[in-house]
Amino acid sequence: MATTVLVTGASSGIGKATAIYLAQSGYNVYGAARRKEKIQELETYGVKAIALDITKDESVVSCVNQIFSEAGNIDILVNSAGLGSYGALEDVPMADARNLMDINLFGVARLIQLALPEMRKNGYGKIVNISSVGGKVGLPMGSWYHASKFAIEGLSDCLRNEVKPFGIDVMVIEPGGTKSEMIENGAADLARISGKTVYKDLANRVTKMYASLAANAIEAIEIAKLIKNGIEAKNPKTRYMASNARPSLLMRKLLPDKLFDRMLMNQMK
């Protein structure tokens, strides 16, 4: 029987590329997203489309129960659903902040809670959490996004040692700029939220930097291949960095905070 994988955020970007790539590699893949009409096309690649609104517990429970009913278990969980919303901390409405944390953090945690009992029972499981360079490097105007990704890094570190005795591996994927609708949507949010406030000058500079990131972004398939490498490794790494993430992560590790801040802000002049 083929290994069953649940990939969230499968309507676009990394989630979509991963669902297709794993299905084409022989896995039994469920591709989940809120916009089910956007994932119907995945079925032409052998992916089973399933509706999931990660902010609604009843939807999360229904999604997992459907997979258990049809496939028996979830062997591999790829938490790829994510929201990249930007704006100065002072400007972002708390309702927007809570929605982002629901999608990027609490939804991830809830799916893990529901998948773990069967993984423990089977003595096998792989949990793949999509973080970002933004899980180690904080950019201005991205407080809530970076808070969620820093949290994913910490959650994964704690979880890894909790579930290791049960034969379950936890991996973090750290992409750099990746071609998806997230960069474009994030820039639009930034303009809407902080484009006319006291932070407008910085918002404009950050927007230009995002445009540069978009121009040099890697294809999502590169991240899908990293994920496949991780789930097929006998002794997987705790973290898999995309090629375009390495320079920033290395500099963040080596430089003192204020020197790194200066280097970062110089890129936004």
Side-chain angles (χ1 to χ4, degrees):
M1 183 179 293
T3 301
T4 297
V5 185
L6 169 58
V7 181
T8 67
S11 61
S12 64
I14 293 170
K16 182 177 181 179
T18 301
I20 293 171
Y21 187 61
L22 293 182
Q24 292 178 330
S25 300
Y27 289 87
N28 179 33
V29 179
Y30 285 82
R34 179 175 55 84
R35 300 170 293 179
K36 192 171 182 182
E37 71 281 359
K38 291 203 70 172
I39 54 174
Q40 290 301 135
E41 66 173 284
L42 295 181
E43 297 191 347
T44 62
Y45 299 96
V47 177
K48 298 176 177 67
I50 187 167
L52 171 65
D53 184 339
I54 204 166
T55 67
K56 293 182 169 57
D57 194 64
E58 62 273 18
S59 178
V60 178
V61 172
S62 175
C63 172
V64 171
N65 285 343
Q66 181 181 332
I67 298 172
F68 284 164
S69 174
E70 294 175 2
N73 55 276
I74 297 170
D75 299 300
I76 300 169
L77 172 61
V78 180
N79 285 305
S80 184
L83 176 65
S85 185
Y86 299 87
L89 179 66
E90 185 178 350
D91 296 334
V92 176
M94 289 307 297
D96 289 3
R98 291 188 182 96
N99 180 62
L100 185 146
M101 296 300 281
D102 275 343
I103 294 169
N104 290 6
L105 178 62
F106 297 118
V108 169
R110 183 59 175 143
L111 274 168
I112 292 170
Q113 283 185 331
L114 294 170
L116 273 176
E118 288 298 321
M119 288 183 176
R120 282 193 292 101
K121 188 186 299 182
N122 296 330
Y124 174 85
K126 308 279 186 181
I127 297 170
V128 181
N129 294 328
I130 307 299
S131 179
S132 165
V133 169
K136 298 277 185 67
V137 176
L139 299 178
M141 301 289 167
S143 298
W144 290 109
Y145 173 75
H146 293 290
S148 72
K149 292 303 183 181
F150 270 65
I152 285 293
E153 297 270 350
L155 178 148
S156 300
D157 284 342
C158 296
L159 179 67
R160 184 174 65 250
N161 289 305
E162 292 173 5
V163 300
K164 184 178 180 180
F166 304 109
I168 300 166
D169 293 311
V170 178
M171 289 157 267
V172 173
I173 308 296
E174 296 174 332
T178 307
K179 290 181 181 177
S180 74
E181 59 187 30
M182 184 178 287
I183 294 177
E184 182 179 333
N185 291 344
D189 273 346
L190 179 53
R192 174 177 58 83
I193 293 172
S194 292
K196 296 181 180 179
T197 72
V198 294
Y199 298 97
K200 62 184 179 182
D201 290 341
L202 180 57
N204 288 335
R205 283 154 48 200
V206 172
T207 298
K208 289 178 182 177
M209 186 198 68
Y210 284 145
S212 175
L213 282 177
N216 296 288
I218 62 174
E219 297 288 345
I221 187 63
E222 292 191 37
I223 308 303
K225 290 177 179 178
L226 271 184
I227 292 170
K228 184 172 181 287
N229 288 343
I231 63 177
E232 293 183 351
K234 185 175 182 180
N235 183 27
K237 299 176 184 178
T238 59
R239 284 170 171 79
Y240 287 83
M241 290 182 287
S243 58
N244 65 342
R246 292 180 183 277
S248 294
L249 292 176
L250 178 61
M251 296 301 285
R252 185 66 192 92
K253 185 176 181 179
L254 295 176
L255 296 180
D257 289 346
K258 290 187 177 180
L259 181 56
F260 185 83
D261 286 350
R262 287 200 295 275
M263 183 191 76
L264 190 68
M265 298 309 291
N266 282 338
Q267 296 179 21
M268 301 179 195
K269 287 183 177 179

